[in-house]
Amino acid sequence: MTPIDLYYWPTPNGWKISIALEEFSLPYRTQLIDIGQGDQFAPAFLSIAPNNRMPAIVDPEGPDGAPVSLFESGAILQYLVRKTGQFGGDTPRAQAEVEQWLMWQMGGLGPMAGQAHHFLKYAPEDITYAKNRYRTEVARLYGVLDRRLSDREFVAGDSYTIADMAIWPWASLWQGQEQDLSDKPNLARWLQDLWQRPALRRGRALHADLRKDRSDSWVVQDLFTK
């Protein structure tokens, strides 16, 4: 099988796809897109990802045998499910569960946690309203996730799916979002359980040394070894 080209930087959105490619056991080549240096605006990358955001992939063996390029992490995950028949739910009902939680991550947790990170750690101005707004919304979303995990092993049910792969990277950075998991035991359990997966660890470790702020690089490990 010809390797997939992964256009990547070690961020939560990048980890979604590096983790997925490891979990799907698909060969890939990493093409680094240094978002701090503006690589995402290069014409060659824009021809693949016109929204100037990574991750993106180019699969030389697309659905009709011709190369296909994809941007948006959720779309990439769904494509990999169709390509392999794995991790997307075994029945129409299971597939609907997976898709709704993938959309929950794409439309809710990812954007809100990203804003929390920005205003709590990187914003040049100290804006109390923004900090409180996004910190509070992320806490609400983690409450939703904790309740969801109260009676099931994985987010979409009894099977590990792309919904877990999409949510875990953002949830693993709960400390940087100034969250407290002491009242969310189901979420904490799920974080720990997924951290035991070798493929997830490999995907999470891909070029981890390049992270601008590595203080949160292994917060899941830190949480469960204290």
Side-chain angles (χ1 to χ4, degrees):
M1 183 179 292
T2 306
I4 290 171
D5 283 303
L6 167 63
Y7 294 81
Y8 168 89
W9 196 250
T11 70
N13 286 329
W15 296 331
K16 294 180 198 177
I17 308 307
S18 58
I19 288 170
L21 290 168
E22 293 287 346
E23 293 282 9
F24 282 92
S25 297
L26 289 168
Y28 65 95
R29 296 174 296 214
T30 305
Q31 311 290 343
L32 290 173
I33 302 297
D34 188 339
I35 57 178
Q37 296 298 316
D39 290 356
Q40 68 272 34
F41 299 107
F45 181 65
L46 288 173
S47 69
I48 297 166
N51 196 39
N52 61 267
R53 296 287 188 274
M54 67 89 221
I57 66 167
V58 174
D59 183 0
E61 300 175 354
D64 53 1
V68 62
S69 62
L70 288 165
F71 65 100
E72 287 294 335
S73 57
I76 295 169
L77 289 171
Q78 290 180 310
Y79 171 76
L80 295 177
V81 167
R82 293 191 297 271
K83 180 179 177 70
T84 65
Q86 302 180 73
F87 299 117
D90 296 330
T91 67
R93 185 176 296 274
Q95 290 162 7
E97 290 282 353
V98 173
E99 290 168 0
Q100 72 175 353
W101 285 98
L102 176 62
M103 296 305 107
W104 178 86
Q105 187 282 315
M106 297 292 295
L109 179 59
M112 295 301 101
Q115 293 292 342
H117 272 289
H118 174 76
F119 285 105
L120 291 168
K121 300 180 70 174
Y122 303 117
E125 299 177 55
D126 186 349
I127 305 174
T128 300
Y129 173 81
K131 288 181 174 181
N132 290 337
R133 172 179 170 79
Y134 292 112
R135 186 193 297 114
T136 300
E137 178 60 7
V138 172
R140 185 191 71 81
L141 290 164
Y142 285 153
V144 171
L145 187 56
D146 185 70
R147 291 189 294 275
R148 173 68 177 179
L149 290 164
S150 65
D151 61 353
R152 66 200 73 219
E153 186 175 359
F154 301 105
V155 172
D158 296 327
S159 299
Y160 178 69
T161 70
I162 57 169
D164 301 283
M165 298 178 205
I167 295 168
W168 190 92
W170 282 105
S172 72
L173 300 184
W174 58 274
Q175 287 178 323
Q177 301 149 16
E178 296 186 4
Q179 299 298 307
D180 179 6
L181 300 191
S182 64
D183 60 345
K184 300 176 181 65
N186 306 305
L187 172 54
R189 183 271 307 164
W190 174 81
L191 284 168
Q192 181 182 31
D193 288 352
L194 266 59
W195 183 240
Q196 305 311 309
R197 299 182 65 89
L200 183 144
R201 289 195 183 208
R202 290 194 300 271
R204 176 63 172 77
L206 183 65
H207 290 291
D209 58 303
L210 296 176
R211 279 182 64 76
K212 181 177 180 181
D213 178 4
R214 282 181 268 168
S215 63
D216 58 7
S217 290
W218 302 106
V219 293
V220 176
Q221 184 179 39
D222 293 344
L223 171 63
F224 295 110
T225 56
K226 288 180 180 177

